[in-house]
Amino acid sequence: MELQPSVIFAIEIIGTIAFASSGAMVAVRKKLDLFGIIVLGVITAVGGGMLRDILIGNIPPNMFRNPVYVLAAFLTVLVLFMLFRFWPSLLGSRYMESYERIMNILDAIGLGAFTVIGIDTGVEAGYGNYHFLIIFLGVITGIGGGILRDIMAGETPYVLKKHIYACASIAGACLYAGLLEVSNSDSAMIVSALLVVAIRILASHFRWDLPTV
């Protein structure tokens, strides 16, 4: 099965919108101004890809050479800002539960997509034989933006304390790296991304957490 570039692009945009929304919501709850909301929303959406590109020397990072993802994140944040600015009652309404549920699904899709795209970027750059590196690139693409968001918001990064998030990305990245040895990249990408999405949704639904001391 071969993935069309338009399909991959659509999935990336879905993930970008979900990640930007999560960043914007953190900023809104922190009572940041418009600029702060935009910065947190955009950095959540494209920060992971920026870190990946810097690591492999892909300079300037793709977010600057192909700013369509930055634009998608910016528009998403702007729409949310306008909604909550003019209808602040929405923040405490019953609709927020449905919104959070939908965003959680889209976020899982984005995590899966960005994880495998991060690995694919590393492979395309000639690092396919460095398994640990490409796995790391996949994971940092998936969770890097969220880590930057939380650090900038003065919070302990979400991935270090809540549910199975980073672990879902790691599982998918490891599977993708292994499957690349025995199957074509498109099939490996689909299966691995689906694993990330499944683990993330199940972990959120059943509130799975890693053990603490």
Side-chain angles (χ1 to χ4, degrees):
M1 182 178 182
E2 185 176 348
L3 282 176
Q4 298 297 320
S6 58
V7 174
I8 295 176
F9 176 73
I11 294 173
E12 286 181 303
I13 290 297
I14 289 173
T16 299
I17 291 171
F19 280 21
S21 298
S22 73
M25 290 306 298
V26 169
V28 167
R29 289 175 178 134
K30 284 284 184 177
K31 301 187 184 304
L32 302 187
D33 63 12
L34 174 58
F35 182 73
I37 294 171
I38 291 172
V39 169
L40 255 64
V42 172
I43 202 66
T44 305
V46 300
M50 179 184 67
L51 292 175
R52 174 203 65 216
D53 289 342
I54 292 172
L55 279 170
I56 61 177
N58 190 13
I59 304 296
N62 188 56
M63 63 173 283
F64 297 108
R65 289 183 285 111
N66 184 19
V68 62
Y69 303 104
V70 174
L71 180 60
F74 173 76
L75 291 176
T76 299
V77 172
L78 206 57
V79 169
L80 287 175
F81 175 82
M82 298 298 285
L83 282 174
F84 296 135
R85 171 73 175 174
F86 293 105
W87 293 282
S89 59
L90 287 173
L91 284 169
S93 72
R94 56 189 175 86
Y95 298 111
M96 284 304 295
E97 186 176 342
S98 298
Y99 168 82
E100 295 286 356
R101 191 178 301 114
I102 293 171
M103 283 298 108
N104 191 57
I105 294 173
L106 296 182
D107 183 85
I109 294 172
L111 181 63
F114 289 150
T115 297
V116 297
I117 287 169
I119 292 180
D120 192 58
T121 301
V123 172
E124 290 293 324
Y127 299 107
N129 292 325
Y130 299 89
H131 290 168
F132 178 68
L133 173 60
I134 61 173
I135 289 170
F136 184 82
L137 291 175
V139 175
I140 202 65
T141 304
I143 70 173
I147 291 175
L148 291 175
R149 172 201 67 207
D150 293 340
I151 290 173
M152 294 176 71
E155 298 281 352
T156 300
Y158 179 88
V159 298
L160 302 181
K161 62 178 183 178
K162 196 71 174 173
H163 298 166
I164 306 294
Y165 196 89
C167 291
S169 180
I170 292 170
C174 290
L175 178 62
Y176 189 16
L179 289 177
L180 282 175
E181 302 294 323
V182 296
S183 65
N184 68 69
S185 61
D186 286 336
S187 298
M189 181 180 287
I190 294 169
V191 173
S192 303
L194 288 175
L195 176 66
V196 176
V197 173
I199 293 175
R200 177 62 196 133
I201 290 177
L202 288 172
S204 178
H205 179 74
F206 293 107
R207 302 200 172 276
W208 292 340
D209 288 309
L210 292 176
T212 58
V213 175

